[in-house]
Structures are given as structure tokens and as C-alpha cells.
């Protein structure tokens, strides 16, 4: 066949364009290392066999059956352990269950302990024989010579176990035991419905449910298929083992499927999951997994990860920075998984099944399970707003559904139950910010009324809705300090941090009130947003807890955590005035503000900007700066407001370089608190050089400019447009912005309005090794709108 020369040129050009596009996509997954930060990591942190925001989040568990007394502690998979006790399907905040384990030899139905692997069915393993990638996990179980592989669709978990030749091979379905943060098992059931299909459920009572929503429970359902008929079947529960039984119910419920396997024989399982019913678990299975092989599911999962991760494509010569970036993005897109089924059903608090509305706009909503959004406005919501607005919409729609059922937003959500982690509630702020950036696929007036109630109403408020001292805040303009560890209409033990937080969230609500023309509401809310001023000690120039009689607390130690301040201290929290940095700077004094903040970072750098090398989530709560927890995540960007933007460039870049690592122990600090993608999202945004101290709560949101880690970033914006960020002369030493252009025009400010940025185009930054103290200083970002 002859093709004309001109046609060849066209075809070649198209081929080159396709190759360039595929090159941008194909190299992304290799930079994701799910094992980073897996020492002392949270239950939902390590789930490689999953798709973004999936319900099916499969992962090996090294100590998941231990549970944890506090309800939030590190559990599940730890790089310091050397044996695996099973592969678990459900991994969310306060949600865990359904473990499967292959084995050979003597029958054991208990997982056993880390100190004595031979005491149960757990198996030793060597990490040189372990592979963890986005959407796929593989490991050799040394004690059984079984290769285990995992992958997933959105609602279905896939297993492939390759056995040795053995007459005593088996697959154990361990259903009725504690997993991670699941809390007590109230009931469980598993049964074989025929020779190759099984179904069941587990109902749990998590620790945070007991305190926040005591009449609730978390139910998990499954319906599965196994590729080979077992030779025999048996069952077990806490009462013992029953050979030949095909079903079991109650605590400790499980079944085991016995096989005679040939060498390298693979047995596969597919497990449909649901939070509503066995029927919907089966429907999820049939919609996503019927006829789908393990290899096809793996390929599909990794194609989804490539597509989603490639929306942010970074270029540069430092490979470890790319690993940090894409691993952070992976964690951001992994957390807060879907809780609704393929047919739009979702679990309601009262045990009934809800149905999601079709949606009023361009997004198809999912109902999600979610940890609190505390701090999420400095990372997750900004990332969602940039390139993943459908996930932001899911968060908003979920909270509005919960509000319609419960009468309140939930600080954290597990199957429509309140599982409050910190006792505050920034849901209204996050929804108001979503409104500001154009996410409005809901009844705006109803949403505003819910936001207003969240900020002002304490009557009949449920514990899990947080803000239990909101009446005191409205009455006094601040939350009064009380000695007891409580929060109610009289005040709170964490009164100062609550006052700062409520001041910020009422500012956000005020902006929405203003947009909707609700003048009286605006005036009340904006007045409350200045509540922080009532706690500002003018002598020490620090935020200091105050009692209801108007006196500051005595024996005040600015370094002391947990007295007036939750998960932090006065030095850290004094900078928590994101809604009005200008006023805070004026109160402290501009020169003193800059010196104090710079000195804090100089000192903090010696401890890796956190708790040093102590492996503990709260290691840094008494320090000057603690990047390992939420309250501090904005303050390196405050120099943009105080006339020294080069210090924002210096310190945000240093945090990226030094707090974040590429090792299992040094990943997000050392064993720090990576709340479902928050710290990973912070790195992504800071590495792009984009941030908003105010979390898009302004009526007209802005974006601040920092020091990009990469030479070039190409961003697929959520509105379909594209933004390129180019940092010329960028290097580990050239961290300071010398000049900037946006779409060919000089950019002299260290910020621009977000709606301009979202039009796309090109942001060009020229970098150098020394600060340009004239760039970005004349017009600071707006503080009051």
C-alpha cells in the first residue's frame, strides 16, 4: 500500500504526539513507593492494592488483630515487623475487617503473635521478596512457600495465591475478629453458598464511635467467588473448630477451605464489598469483577493510577524528589474511600440504606468515609480544587447527606456515624471554600444554613459533631478555659486552640453569608472571627487561654502542650490566624514577627521540622514548630504576608527537602500523623510552589507563590485547562525567586487570584541562590476581604 508523503508527515506527527503523551504517563508509577513511612503508620496508610478512593483497599497486615486501645494508634502494617497475619479488605478511619490468609500444613485458625509466628497461621516474609505498587501487592510467604498477590477494582478485592505441591493447602476466611481500628466485634457471619461462592458480614463498634455516636455501629458486607472447589470445608469461631461445617456466626467466625495443590498452582478469589448489604456486595461484584481476571484487574487498576497521578506531571533531575512527590500524591488519592455502591446506595446511621441524588451538575457524587478535615484546608482541599474537584465534591455531598439525616455535620464519618477525632469541626469551612471556588452542585441555601448552624448553634448538638463549646464561644467571643478535660457550654480545656479555630471557621462562613447577601449574619460571623484578639496577651505577644471571668490562666508555659491547646502549644498556635495574617503581624509587630518566625524555623530545622527522630505521632507537640501535625502547616507561608516572601521560599523548600524522606522510617517525619493524605498533599502543593494560607475561604480566593521543587510541572486543571510551571535555573541551591511572569506578563506579586491561575497558561519563575528582597514585597496578599 502506498501512502502519500504529506500523509506520512501527518501520521508521524500524530505518532510523536502520542508517544510524548504516553511518555508523560508511563513513567509515573515507578516513582510511587507505598512502603515509605510505614514505621508506626496508621491503619489506613498502607493499602497498595487499591484504586484511588476505592472501597476495596487490600493490604497485608502484620498486627491488625491487636487492635488499639486509643482507637487511632499505629496499627496494621509496620516495616519493623517480619511476619504477615493476613490480607485485609476494609481500611478506613475507624473501619477495618475481612481478612484472608493462605496456608499449608497443620490447621491453625488464630493469627498468632509477632513474637511467636509459629503459634498461629501467620507467616514470616522477607522484604526482598515483596513488591508494593499503586494497585498491586505481591509477597512470598516464607513459612508456606506461597506467593500472594493482591489487586482491586473500586469495590472488589482480588487475590491470587500460588501454592507449592501440598496435600494440606488451605485458604482461611477470618471474618469475626478485630482488624485495625475496627473496635469490638458485635457480630459476624460467613457461609459458603455453594462450592465456590461465599458471603457474610462483620459488625463492629469502634472506639471513636463509643464516645461520639454510641448508638451506632459499622457494618461491612461481602460476597465472593473462589476459582477452585475445595476438597473439604470447615468452620470456626471463639467456641472452637467444626470440621465439615460450611458456615459460622458470632465473634471469631471464619471458615477454611482445604485443597490438594500441585506445584505452582494458583487459586484466585474475588471479594465484592459493601457497607449496605450482601446483595449490594454481590451487585458491586457483578458490575466490576464478573469475567475480569486478576491480570486484567491489575492492569486496569494501574491504568487508573497512571491517569490520575499523571494529572500532575513533574520534570527534574532529582529522582528522590519525584519519589516524594508521587508517593505523596498517591497517599492523597488513596485516603477517604468511597462508602457507596455502584447503584448509588450508601449506609445511613440508623441502619437503613440511603440513595444518593443523581446530582445537579457536572459531578457524579460518591458517599465517602472520611477522617476529620482538621488541617485539610492546607493540603487536601487545595489539591482537590486544583486537579481533582470531583473528590472535593464527594466530600461536600457526603457531609450534606449526613446533615440531612443527622441534623449536623460530622467531624469524621464512618458509615454516616460520627467518629470525631479532635472535637472541632471544619466541615462548614471546607464547604464554604468549595462554594468560593465554584463547587456548587447542591442546594446552596440549605448548605449555607447547615454551615451557619455549625458555627453558631450548640442546642442539642451531638458530641460527634464537635464544637461542643460553641455556645460559650458565641457568648463570650472566645471559649473560656476550664480545668477539666471537657468541652461544653461553659468552655473547654482546649479553649485557646478552639477559639482560634472557631475564629477561622466563622470567617469562612461570613464570606459565604456576604456572597449570599445575608448582611446580619455576615456582621455576626465576622465579629466572631476576631475572637482570637481576646486571647492575645499583649505583654508576651502570645495567644494565652483565658477563663470566663476574663483573666488569663496562671502558671502559663508557652511550650506546654495539652493545656488550652490541642496537639500543640502557645508558640505554635499563636500563628493560627489564617483569616487575617495582617492583623496578627500588626499585633506582634512586623519586625518581631519576622524575627520570631524565622528563629523558630532555624531551631526547628535542627529537629527535622518535627519531633526529631522519635518515632511517635505526638513527638513534636511541645516543639516550636511541628510539621508532623495539623496546626502548623501554614506558617512557613506567612512570610508572604509579612514582607519577606523569600523566607517562605527558603523554609517551605527546606521542609520539603528535610522533613519528607524516602525511607520506611523517615517518610513523613519519623512516625508522624499522616491523616489520609494530608502530609502527602502538603508536599505536592509546596513542591509545585502553590499554596493558600486561608484555604480558599476568601470570597475571592488567592494562591500564593513559593519555591517549586521541580524544573517544570504540567498540571491538568480540574476545569479541563492546563497550567505549566517552569522554574528556570532551579536547583537545590537556587531556591529563591528572582523574577516571575504569568502568561508572558511580569508578575511582581508573590500571589495572584485563583480564578486567574485556573485559566491556565504558563507561570515562569527565574530562580537564584540568593534572595531577591525586592520581588513580591510591594503588595502583600490580601488579609481582609
Amino acid at each position: 500500500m502506498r501512502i502519500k508523503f504529506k500523509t506520512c508527515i501527518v501520521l508521524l506527527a500524530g505518532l510523536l504526539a502520542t508517544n510524548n503523551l504516553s511518555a508523560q504517563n508511563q513513567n509515573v508509577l515507578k516513582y510511587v513507593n507505598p512502603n515509605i513511612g510505614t514505621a508506626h503508620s496508621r491503619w489506613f496508610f498502607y493499602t497498595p492494592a487499591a484504586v484511588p478512593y476505592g472501597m476495596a483497599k487490600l493490604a497485608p497486615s502484620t498486627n491488625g488483630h491487636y487492635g488499639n486501645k486509643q482507637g487511632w494508634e499505629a496499627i496494621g502494617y509496620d516495616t519493623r515487623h517480619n511476619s504477615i497475619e493476613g490480607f485485609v479488605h476494609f481500611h478506613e478511619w475507624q473501619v477495618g475487617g475481612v481478612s484472608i490468609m493462605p496456608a499449608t500444613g497443620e490447621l491453625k485458625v488464630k493469627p498468632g503473635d509477632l513474637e511467636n509466628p509459629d503459634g498461629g497461621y501467620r507467616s514470616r516474609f522477607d522484604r526482598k521478596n515483596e513488591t508494593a505498587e499503586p494497585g498491586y501487592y505481591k509477597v512470598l510467604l516464607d513459612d508456606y512457600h506461597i506467593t500472594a498477590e493482591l489487586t482491586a477494582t473500586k469495590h472488589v478485592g482480588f487475590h491470587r495465591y500460588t501454592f507449592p505441591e501440598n496435600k494440606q493447602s488451605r485458604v482461611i476466611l477470618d471474618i469475626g475478629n478485630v482488624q485495625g481500628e475496627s473496635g469490638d466485634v458485635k457480630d459476624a457471619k460467613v457461609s459458603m453458598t455453594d462450592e465456590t461462592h461465599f458471603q457474610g458480614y462483620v459488625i463492629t463498634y469502634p472506639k471513636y464511635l463509643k464516645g461520639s455516636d454510641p448508638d451506632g455501629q459499622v457494618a461491612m458486607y461481602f460476597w465472593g467467588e473462589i476459582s477452585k472447589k475445595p476438597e473439604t470445608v470447615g468452620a470456626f469461631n471463639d467456641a472452637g473448630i467444626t470440621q465439615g461445617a460450611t458456615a459460622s456466626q458470632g465473634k471469631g467466625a471464619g471458615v477454611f477451605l482445604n485443597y490438594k495443590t500441585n506445584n505452582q498452582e494458583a487459586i484466585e478469589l474475588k471479594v465484592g464489598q459493601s457497607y449496605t448489604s450482601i446483595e449490594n456486595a454481590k451487585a458491586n461484584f457483578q458490575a466490576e469483577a464478573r469475567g475480569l481476571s486478576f491480570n486484567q484487574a491489575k492492569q486496569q487498576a494501574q491504568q487508573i493510577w497512571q491517569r490520575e497521578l499523571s494529572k500532575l506531571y513533574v520534570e527534574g533531575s532529582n529522582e528522590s524528589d519525584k519519589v516524594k512527590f508521587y508517593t505523596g500524591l498517591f497517599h492523597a488519592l488513596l485516603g477517604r474511600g468511597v462508602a457507596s455502591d455502584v447503584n448509588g446506595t450508601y449506609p445511613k446511621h440508623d441502619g437503613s440504606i440511603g440513595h444518593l441524588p443523581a446530582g445537579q451538575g457536572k459531578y457524579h457524587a460518591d458517599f465517602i468515609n472520611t477522617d476529620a478535615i482538621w488541617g485539610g484546608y492546607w493540603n487536601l482541599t487545595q489539591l482537590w480544587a486544583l486537579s481533582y474537584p470531583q473528590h472535593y465534591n464527594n466530600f461536600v455531598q457526603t457531609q450534606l447527606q449526613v446533615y440531612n439525616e443527622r441534623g449536623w455535620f460530622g467531624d469524621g464519618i464512618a458509615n454516616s456515624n460520627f467518629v470525631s477525632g479532635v472535637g472541632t469541626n471544619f466541615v462548614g469551612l471546607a464547604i464554604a471554600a468549595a462554594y468560593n471556588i465554584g463547587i456548587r452542585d447542591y442546594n446552596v441555601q440549605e448548605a449555607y444554613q447547615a454551615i451557619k448552624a455549625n458555627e453558631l448553634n450548640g442546642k442539642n448538638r451531638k458530641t460527634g459533631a464537635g464544637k461542643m463549646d460553641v455556645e460559650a464561644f458565641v457568648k463570650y467571643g472566645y471559649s473560656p478555659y476550664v480545668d477539666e478535660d471537657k468541652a461544653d457550654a461553659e468552655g473547654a480545656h482546649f479553649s485557646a486552640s478552639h477559639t482560634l479555630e472557631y475564629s477561622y471557621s466563622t470567617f469562612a462562613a461570613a464570606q459565604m453569608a456576604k456572597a449570599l447577601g445575608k448582611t446580619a449574619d455576615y456582621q455576626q460571623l465576622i465579629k466572631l472571627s476576631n475572637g482570637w484578639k481576646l486571647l492575645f496577651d499583649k505583654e508576651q505577644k502570645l495567644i494565652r487561654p483565658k477563663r470566663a471571668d476574663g483573666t488569663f490562666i496562671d502558671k502559663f508555659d508557652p511550650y506546654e502542650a495539652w493545656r488550652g491547646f490541642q496537639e500543640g502549644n502557645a508558640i505554635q498556635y499563636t500563628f493560627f490566624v489564617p483569616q487575617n495574617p495582617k492583623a496578627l503581624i500588626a499585633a506582634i509587630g512586623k519586625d518581631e514577627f519576622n524575627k520570631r518566625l524565622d528563629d523558630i524555623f532555624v531551631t526547628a530545622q535542627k529537629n527535622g521540622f518535627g519531633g526529631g527522630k522519635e518515632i511517635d505521632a505526638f513527638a513534636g507537640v511541645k516543639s516550636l514548630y511541628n510539621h508532623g501535625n495539623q496546626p502548623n502547616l501554614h506558617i512557613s507561608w506567612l512570610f508572604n504576608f509579612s514582607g519577606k516572601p523569600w523566607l517562605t521560599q527558603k523554609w517551605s523548600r527546606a521542609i520539603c527537602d528535610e522533613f519528607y524522606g524516602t525511607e520506611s522510617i523517615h517518610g513523613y517525619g519519623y512516625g508522624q500523623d499522616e491523616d489520609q493524605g494530608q502530609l502527602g498533599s502538603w508536599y505536592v502543593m509546596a513542591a509545585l510552589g502553590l499554596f493558600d494560607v486561608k484555604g480558599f475561604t476568601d470570597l475571592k480566593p488567592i494562591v500564593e507563590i513559593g519555591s517549586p521543587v521541580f524544573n517544570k510541572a504540567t498540571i491538568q486543571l480540574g476545569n479541563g485547562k492546563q497550567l505549566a510551571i517552569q522554574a528556570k535555573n532551579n536547583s537545590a541551591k537556587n531556591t529563591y525567586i528572582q523574577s516571575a511572569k504569568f502568561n508572558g506578563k511580569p508578575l511582581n506579586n508573590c500571589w495572584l487570584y485563583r480564578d486567574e491561575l485556573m485559566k491556565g497558561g504558563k507561570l515562569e519563575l527565574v530562580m537564584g541562590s540568593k534572595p531577591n528582597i525586592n520581588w513580591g514585597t510591594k503588595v502583600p496578599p490580601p488579609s481582609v476581604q
Side-chain angles (χ1 to χ4, degrees):
M1 183 175 66
R2 299 176 64 185
I3 302 176
K4 293 182 180 180
F5 178 76
K6 184 176 181 180
T7 304
C8 288
I9 295 297
V10 172
L11 289 173
L12 181 60
L15 182 61
L16 289 173
T18 301
N19 285 341
N20 287 336
L21 181 61
S22 62
Q24 178 171 318
N25 291 331
Q26 69 186 0
N27 293 323
V28 173
L29 292 190
K30 70 179 182 180
Y31 295 117
V32 178
N33 181 358
N35 289 77
I36 288 174
T38 50
H40 194 83
S41 62
R42 298 275 291 279
W43 171 243
F44 41 66
F45 180 78
Y46 187 75
T47 51
V51 297
Y53 295 102
M55 178 185 292
K57 292 183 177 178
L58 275 63
S61 175
T62 62
N63 65 345
H65 89 277
Y66 282 59
N68 57 70
K69 294 181 180 179
Q70 299 299 320
W72 63 268
E73 297 152 297
I75 200 77
Y77 179 93
D78 194 310
T79 189
R80 297 167 295 179
H81 299 159
N82 58 15
S83 63
I84 288 171
E85 63 177 30
F87 302 98
V88 184
H89 290 73
F90 291 92
H91 285 83
E92 294 292 347
W93 166 238
Q94 300 296 293
V95 179
V98 184
S99 179
I100 294 180
M101 183 68 176
T104 60
E106 177 190 356
L107 174 64
K108 300 173 184 177
V109 296
K110 298 292 184 183
D113 298 324
L114 288 163
E115 297 79 10
N116 180 26
D118 296 324
Y121 59 66
R122 70 169 57 240
S123 172
R124 299 167 183 86
F125 73 108
D126 190 322
R127 282 184 172 77
K128 70 181 183 182
N129 298 320
E130 180 185 55
T131 300
E133 302 169 352
Y136 177 68
Y137 179 82
K138 179 180 179 181
V139 69
L140 175 63
L141 300 173
D142 289 339
D143 290 349
Y144 305 127
H145 306 291
I146 296 171
T147 297
E149 297 173 272
L150 310 172
T151 190
T153 62
K154 196 171 184 178
H155 296 87
V156 182
F158 287 68
H159 305 245
R160 180 163 64 194
Y161 301 129
T162 303
F163 285 84
E165 182 178 358
N166 198 297
K167 294 181 180 180
Q168 289 182 301
S169 295
R170 71 182 55 84
V171 175
I172 302 165
L173 309 182
D174 190 343
I175 308 304
N177 290 301
V178 169
Q179 291 296 337
E181 296 171 356
S182 71
D184 299 334
V185 172
K186 296 179 69 175
D187 191 17
K189 185 176 183 180
V190 55
S191 61
M192 300 296 296
T193 59
D194 58 34
E195 292 178 332
T196 57
H197 293 91
F198 54 89
Q199 66 182 30
Y201 62 81
V202 56
I203 299 173
T204 62
Y205 195 40
K207 171 77 172 181
Y208 276 75
L209 203 64
K210 293 178 182 179
S212 298
D213 220 352
D215 59 342
Q217 62 184 23
V218 173
M220 293 157 273
Y221 303 90
F222 58 93
W223 187 92
E225 179 179 85
I226 192 161
S227 63
K228 183 181 181 180
K229 169 188 171 182
E231 299 275 338
T232 59
V233 179
F236 60 92
N237 59 22
D238 282 357
I241 298 172
T242 305
Q243 295 286 355
T246 59
S248 180
Q249 186 168 5
K251 289 187 177 182
V255 297
F256 51 90
L257 315 179
N258 296 319
Y259 295 92
K260 295 176 182 177
T261 55
N262 297 317
N263 188 38
Q264 295 301 297
E265 180 178 357
I267 296 177
E268 300 185 11
L269 295 89
K270 305 177 191 177
V271 184
Q273 300 177 212
S274 174
Y275 292 111
T276 57
S277 67
I278 292 174
E279 291 75 17
N280 279 329
K282 183 177 181 180
N284 291 339
F285 178 101
Q286 291 176 329
E288 295 179 2
R290 187 168 54 183
L292 195 67
S293 70
F294 184 95
N295 287 340
Q296 289 171 331
K298 174 191 172 185
Q299 181 182 25
Q300 177 179 285
Q302 297 205 314
Q303 286 174 343
I304 293 170
W305 276 112
Q306 287 180 348
R307 182 191 70 208
E308 295 302 295
L309 293 169
S310 295
K311 289 180 178 179
L312 306 179
Y313 184 71
V314 296
E315 301 174 53
S317 58
N318 191 314
E319 297 292 286
S320 65
D321 286 342
K322 293 179 184 177
V323 170
K324 293 180 189 181
F325 183 88
Y326 283 111
T327 303
L329 184 56
F330 165 74
H331 282 128
L333 299 180
L334 190 64
R336 301 166 201 265
V338 61
S340 49
D341 302 308
V342 293
N343 59 9
T345 53
Y346 70 93
K348 299 180 75 172
H349 166 74
D350 62 7
S352 65
I353 298 176
H355 297 267
L356 289 169
Q360 302 178 37
K362 56 187 176 182
Y363 304 118
H364 176 268
D366 283 325
F367 190 93
I368 61 172
N369 280 334
T370 172
D371 196 357
I373 204 68
W374 195 58
Y377 32 77
W378 290 324
N379 36 65
L380 271 175
T381 62
Q382 296 192 36
L383 177 61
W384 290 343
L386 186 71
S387 295
Y388 307 94
Q390 70 275 19
H391 299 315
Y392 203 164
N393 183 65
N394 287 341
F395 178 83
V396 172
Q397 297 284 3
T398 296
Q399 291 289 354
L400 291 175
Q401 290 295 116
V402 169
Y403 176 82
N404 286 331
E405 181 194 359
R406 311 295 308 279
W408 301 95
F409 293 138
D411 185 30
I413 296 295
N415 290 9
S416 293
N417 297 291
F418 294 154
V419 282
S420 177
V422 288
T424 58
N425 189 318
F426 280 103
V427 173
L429 180 150
I431 296 177
Y435 174 85
N436 292 339
I437 63 169
I439 294 176
R440 302 176 183 180
D441 292 355
Y442 45 84
N443 185 316
V444 170
Q445 294 295 333
E446 287 184 1
Y448 170 73
Q449 292 304 320
I451 292 168
K452 178 183 174 182
N454 197 47
E455 301 306 319
L456 302 177
N457 189 3
K459 186 177 180 180
N460 298 322
R461 196 174 185 107
K462 300 179 186 298
T463 302
K467 291 182 183 283
M468 296 305 292
D469 52 335
V470 70
E471 285 184 323
F473 174 72
V474 173
K475 177 181 178 180
Y476 294 97
Y478 65 94
S479 179
Y481 175 81
V482 295
D483 293 298
E484 300 89 350
D485 185 9
K486 68 174 187 176
D488 56 27
E490 296 179 3
H493 188 63
F494 299 139
S495 60
S497 57
H498 284 191
T499 298
L500 295 165
E501 291 166 338
Y502 302 171
S503 297
Y504 178 29
S505 58
T506 51
F507 172 86
Q511 303 310 302
M512 190 170 180
K514 188 175 185 180
L516 298 176
K518 301 182 184 298
T519 304
D521 287 353
Y522 170 78
Q523 290 174 346
Q524 181 185 14
L525 290 162
I526 204 68
K527 181 179 179 181
L528 288 169
S529 76
N530 288 312
W532 66 273
K533 294 180 179 180
L534 300 176
L535 299 190
F536 188 78
D537 184 337
K538 294 180 181 178
E539 292 184 6
Q540 299 195 47
K541 297 187 178 179
L542 291 167
I543 295 294
R544 183 173 175 179
K546 183 181 285 187
R547 298 186 183 274
D549 63 5
T551 60
F552 287 120
I553 63 170
D554 58 1
K555 300 178 182 178
F556 174 58
D557 177 1
Y559 291 87
E560 183 180 4
W562 307 106
R563 186 179 182 228
F565 301 92
Q566 185 161 13
E567 300 185 25
N569 58 36
I571 292 175
Q572 295 174 6
Y573 265 104
T574 291
F575 296 99
F576 198 115
V577 189
Q579 73 274 20
N580 196 350
K582 181 179 179 180
L584 177 65
I585 293 164
I588 295 175
K590 191 173 184 179
D591 291 342
E592 184 175 344
F593 178 94
N594 283 322
K595 185 180 186 307
R596 184 196 296 184
L597 193 54
D598 190 42
D599 287 348
I600 282 172
F601 282 111
V602 169
T603 301
Q605 189 172 31
K606 298 173 184 177
N607 285 321
F609 299 104
K613 294 185 177 182
E614 182 182 349
I615 301 176
D616 189 279
F618 291 134
V621 295
K622 296 181 180 180
S623 61
L624 295 173
Y625 175 81
N626 181 22
H627 197 79
N629 215 338
Q630 285 81 352
N632 283 175
L633 295 180
H634 67 300
I635 72 173
S636 60
W637 295 82
L638 289 174
F639 294 108
N640 282 338
F641 292 85
S642 62
K644 292 193 174 184
W646 62 89
L647 290 178
T648 281
Q649 297 154 34
K650 173 183 178 179
W651 292 120
S652 63
R653 186 77 168 260
I655 293 167
C656 287
D657 291 343
E658 299 169 39
F659 176 84
Y660 293 87
T662 58
E663 302 161 7
S664 57
I665 293 179
H666 179 203
Y668 299 88
Y670 288 81
Q672 299 298 311
D673 197 4
E674 168 49 322
D675 282 332
Q676 288 190 290
Q678 285 201 33
L679 292 178
S681 298
W682 192 97
Y683 182 91
V684 169
M685 295 304 299
L688 294 174
L690 305 175
F691 195 83
D692 180 26
V693 162
K694 302 174 86 168
F696 301 148
T697 56
D698 272 330
L699 198 58
K700 188 175 182 180
I702 66 162
V703 174
E704 296 169 56
I705 309 300
S707 177
V709 168
F710 301 99
N711 300 341
K712 186 178 180 181
T714 304
I715 302 167
Q716 295 180 37
L717 299 174
N719 57 14
K721 298 180 180 180
Q722 190 176 88
L723 173 68
I725 301 174
Q726 186 171 9
K728 297 179 180 179
N729 305 323
N730 194 25
S731 71
K733 293 183 178 180
N734 292 352
T735 59
Y736 297 102
I737 298 172
Q738 307 299 300
S739 62
K741 290 182 181 179
F742 184 58
N743 289 333
K745 296 180 180 180
L747 178 63
N748 296 317
N749 295 338
C750 59
W751 62 279
L752 68 165
Y753 285 111
R754 183 181 180 276
D755 57 4
E756 291 296 316
L757 186 80
M758 294 300 289
K759 291 177 182 177
K762 188 174 184 180
L763 175 62
E764 299 175 80
L765 305 173
V766 177
M767 310 301 292
S769 61
K770 295 181 180 180
N772 178 356
I773 62 174
N774 295 314
W775 183 82
T777 59
K778 292 182 180 179
V779 182
S783 275
V784 180
Q785 293 189 17

